[in-house]
Amino acid sequence: MPQHDRPHPRRRARGTRTAFAALAGALLLGACSSPGAPPAAAPAASPLPTAATTPGGTLLVADFGADTVTFVDPERGAVGSVQVGRAPYGLVVGADGRAWVATAEGVAVVDTRSRTRQALIPYRTTGTGPVTGGEYRGGGMGIALSPDGAHAYAGVNVPGTTGVLEVIDTAEREVTEVVPVGRRPFDVDVSRDGTEVYVTGHDSFDVTVVPVGPAGTGGSAAPTRPRRIEVAPYGTEGGLGSWLKPHYAVVRPADGMLLLPFEGERLAVVDPRTGRTTVEEMTADTHQHGATVTADGRLLVVGTGAVEPGKGKGPSLTVRSADGSERVYPLDGPHEDVAVSRDGRTAYVTGGYTRDGYWNGITVVDLDSGNSRRLAAGSRPLGIAVLE
């Protein structure tokens, strides 16, 4: 059964919109959990013959409530799964069809075309604790690939202290570098030119900028001298018990700025070169988690619902255009992460929220109309990708 904390009440002054959550006890490590439904069994593993291929447009989700990734037909639902390792969190898929999945045990390598696990690369980091599930388990969280596919970057949670970024040589399938970053690295992103990695530290209110060399190739220009940028538009009062911390970031295609949404109220726009942050208004008024960006620059953000009953609106998907205008589409129940179809017209939002009320499926949202439907998909799905 996943481990959870109880939610903390949040106080907000609407005039100044300053807010904080009181730290309810020394054992609370962050404000994104409470009891949820027990995970359902994932579909049975179904490797395909070597000559077969998984169709483009198939979805792949990380089953945090199981030890699998699930393949999902966007019309029919789950069509099979593959064992990857304990409590998979984030995943990313390269142009070669290989998926890199951050689990509690290590980074799994999955051939998505034949639906087989090819490797499980152990972390070099010690101190991640027992291999287990639950929101605060040690091990991999966010994960990304360099533009050339030569390196994978996994954010590793080390319970009780700062996390690390582990750099993996994808050809050799081994960890080559370990870089200290912030606490509980929810998300990992890469600059457009591949020369920097951005690690979002949920419990340290920050983004760590890690230089990784020309085009992200590593080599002699291994990751060195990481820079910390505090990202806390509400301040840091409340510490580990605060709800008002960063979760996921995206790199804006137009200029390389980092976009981090907070509470459906504020969008932190971070210049990773200077560390300067500006804040823009948002309209959803909901606790926000997963985010992605479309090829034309629209920002999609998952709203999980009000932190405290009566102090905010329900779950939603925000679609924010480049000019700052927003459409907010309601969702039925909490969700966690989001991916977008190749044509930019459909969003896929995972139901495996890290707090209460999660469910075992995906909501499919038409981005033009806001109409939505549900698909069964794995066990408490968090990370999601659309296969090419």
Side-chain angles (χ1 to χ4, degrees), residues 22-35:
L23 183 61
L27 296 179
L28 297 179
L29 294 178
C32 292
S33 64
S34 65

PDB file of all heavy atoms in Angstrom, residues 22-35:
ATOM      1  N   ALA A  22       0.948  25.629   7.300  1.00  0.00           N
ATOM      2  CA  ALA A  22       1.679  25.358   8.530  1.00  0.00           C
ATOM      3  C   ALA A  22       2.259  23.953   8.497  1.00  0.00           C
ATOM      4  O   ALA A  22       1.634  23.022   8.024  1.00  0.00           O
ATOM      5  CB  ALA A  22       0.746  25.505   9.729  1.00  0.00           C
ATOM      6  N   LEU A  23       3.447  23.818   9.032  1.00  0.00           N
ATOM      7  CA  LEU A  23       4.077  22.504   9.125  1.00  0.00           C
ATOM      8  C   LEU A  23       3.450  21.754  10.281  1.00  0.00           C
ATOM      9  O   LEU A  23       3.588  22.128  11.422  1.00  0.00           O
ATOM     10  CB  LEU A  23       5.583  22.660   9.338  1.00  0.00           C
ATOM     11  CG  LEU A  23       6.390  21.375   9.383  1.00  0.00           C
ATOM     12  CD1 LEU A  23       6.259  20.640   8.053  1.00  0.00           C
ATOM     13  CD2 LEU A  23       7.837  21.693   9.673  1.00  0.00           C
ATOM     14  N   ALA A  24       2.745  20.664   9.983  1.00  0.00           N
ATOM     15  CA  ALA A  24       1.944  19.997  10.992  1.00  0.00           C
ATOM     16  C   ALA A  24       2.747  19.056  11.868  1.00  0.00           C
ATOM     17  O   ALA A  24       2.272  18.630  12.898  1.00  0.00           O
ATOM     18  CB  ALA A  24       0.807  19.231  10.342  1.00  0.00           C
ATOM     19  N   GLY A  25       3.942  18.706  11.459  1.00  0.00           N
ATOM     20  CA  GLY A  25       4.720  17.800  12.305  1.00  0.00           C
ATOM     21  C   GLY A  25       6.037  17.480  11.653  1.00  0.00           C
ATOM     22  O   GLY A  25       6.199  17.620  10.455  1.00  0.00           O
ATOM     23  N   ALA A  26       6.986  17.061  12.443  1.00  0.00           N
ATOM     24  CA  ALA A  26       8.334  16.844  11.922  1.00  0.00           C
ATOM     25  C   ALA A  26       8.412  15.691  10.954  1.00  0.00           C
ATOM     26  O   ALA A  26       9.346  15.586  10.177  1.00  0.00           O
ATOM     27  CB  ALA A  26       9.294  16.585  13.088  1.00  0.00           C
ATOM     28  N   LEU A  27       7.397  14.814  10.946  1.00  0.00           N
ATOM     29  CA  LEU A  27       7.454  13.664  10.053  1.00  0.00           C
ATOM     30  C   LEU A  27       6.934  13.956   8.677  1.00  0.00           C
ATOM     31  O   LEU A  27       7.056  13.129   7.780  1.00  0.00           O
ATOM     32  CB  LEU A  27       6.642  12.495  10.651  1.00  0.00           C
ATOM     33  CG  LEU A  27       7.182  11.938  11.963  1.00  0.00           C
ATOM     34  CD1 LEU A  27       6.272  10.825  12.445  1.00  0.00           C
ATOM     35  CD2 LEU A  27       8.596  11.450  11.816  1.00  0.00           C
ATOM     36  N   LEU A  28       6.344  15.128   8.457  1.00  0.00           N
ATOM     37  CA  LEU A  28       5.758  15.430   7.160  1.00  0.00           C
ATOM     38  C   LEU A  28       6.856  15.869   6.216  1.00  0.00           C
ATOM     39  O   LEU A  28       7.579  16.805   6.494  1.00  0.00           O
ATOM     40  CB  LEU A  28       4.703  16.540   7.296  1.00  0.00           C
ATOM     41  CG  LEU A  28       3.512  16.159   8.185  1.00  0.00           C
ATOM     42  CD1 LEU A  28       2.550  17.326   8.274  1.00  0.00           C
ATOM     43  CD2 LEU A  28       2.807  14.945   7.634  1.00  0.00           C
ATOM     44  N   LEU A  29       6.943  15.235   5.065  1.00  0.00           N
ATOM     45  CA  LEU A  29       8.018  15.528   4.119  1.00  0.00           C
ATOM     46  C   LEU A  29       7.558  16.302   2.915  1.00  0.00           C
ATOM     47  O   LEU A  29       8.327  16.566   2.026  1.00  0.00           O
ATOM     48  CB  LEU A  29       8.662  14.211   3.651  1.00  0.00           C
ATOM     49  CG  LEU A  29       9.397  13.446   4.734  1.00  0.00           C
ATOM     50  CD1 LEU A  29       9.931  12.156   4.169  1.00  0.00           C
ATOM     51  CD2 LEU A  29      10.513  14.285   5.307  1.00  0.00           C
ATOM     52  N   GLY A  30       6.299  16.639   2.777  1.00  0.00           N
ATOM     53  CA  GLY A  30       5.831  17.411   1.636  1.00  0.00           C
ATOM     54  C   GLY A  30       4.347  17.325   1.587  1.00  0.00           C
ATOM     55  O   GLY A  30       3.744  16.522   2.262  1.00  0.00           O
ATOM     56  N   ALA A  31       3.721  18.206   0.823  1.00  0.00           N
ATOM     57  CA  ALA A  31       2.280  18.315   0.904  1.00  0.00           C
ATOM     58  C   ALA A  31       1.609  17.834  -0.345  1.00  0.00           C
ATOM     59  O   ALA A  31       0.936  18.574  -1.018  1.00  0.00           O
ATOM     60  CB  ALA A  31       1.918  19.762   1.189  1.00  0.00           C
ATOM     61  N   CYS A  32       1.791  16.596  -0.688  1.00  0.00           N
ATOM     62  CA  CYS A  32       1.154  16.074  -1.884  1.00  0.00           C
ATOM     63  C   CYS A  32       0.689  14.657  -1.691  1.00  0.00           C
ATOM     64  O   CYS A  32       0.876  13.821  -2.564  1.00  0.00           O
ATOM     65  CB  CYS A  32       2.103  16.161  -3.074  1.00  0.00           C
ATOM     66  SG  CYS A  32       2.415  17.837  -3.574  1.00  0.00           S
ATOM     67  N   SER A  33       0.115  14.324  -0.536  1.00  0.00           N
ATOM     68  CA  SER A  33      -0.334  12.958  -0.382  1.00  0.00           C
ATOM     69  C   SER A  33      -1.356  12.804   0.709  1.00  0.00           C
ATOM     70  O   SER A  33      -1.427  13.570   1.638  1.00  0.00           O
ATOM     71  CB  SER A  33       0.860  12.048  -0.068  1.00  0.00           C
ATOM     72  OG  SER A  33       1.421  12.395   1.167  1.00  0.00           O
ATOM     73  N   SER A  34      -2.191  11.784   0.551  1.00  0.00           N
ATOM     74  CA  SER A  34      -3.089  11.272   1.574  1.00  0.00           C
ATOM     75  C   SER A  34      -3.702  10.010   1.025  1.00  0.00           C
ATOM     76  O   SER A  34      -3.524   9.681  -0.137  1.00  0.00           O
ATOM     77  CB  SER A  34      -4.140  12.308   1.968  1.00  0.00           C
ATOM     78  OG  SER A  34      -4.982  12.597   0.910  1.00  0.00           O
ATOM     79  N   PRO A  35      -4.432   9.223   1.826  1.00  0.00           N
ATOM     80  CA  PRO A  35      -4.816   7.895   1.363  1.00  0.00           C
ATOM     81  C   PRO A  35      -5.605   7.901   0.074  1.00  0.00           C
ATOM     82  O   PRO A  35      -6.452   8.750  -0.153  1.00  0.00           O
ATOM     83  CB  PRO A  35      -5.659   7.356   2.529  1.00  0.00           C
ATOM     84  CG  PRO A  35      -5.142   8.093   3.715  1.00  0.00           C
ATOM     85  CD  PRO A  35      -4.800   9.465   3.209  1.00  0.00           C
TER      86      PRO A  35
END
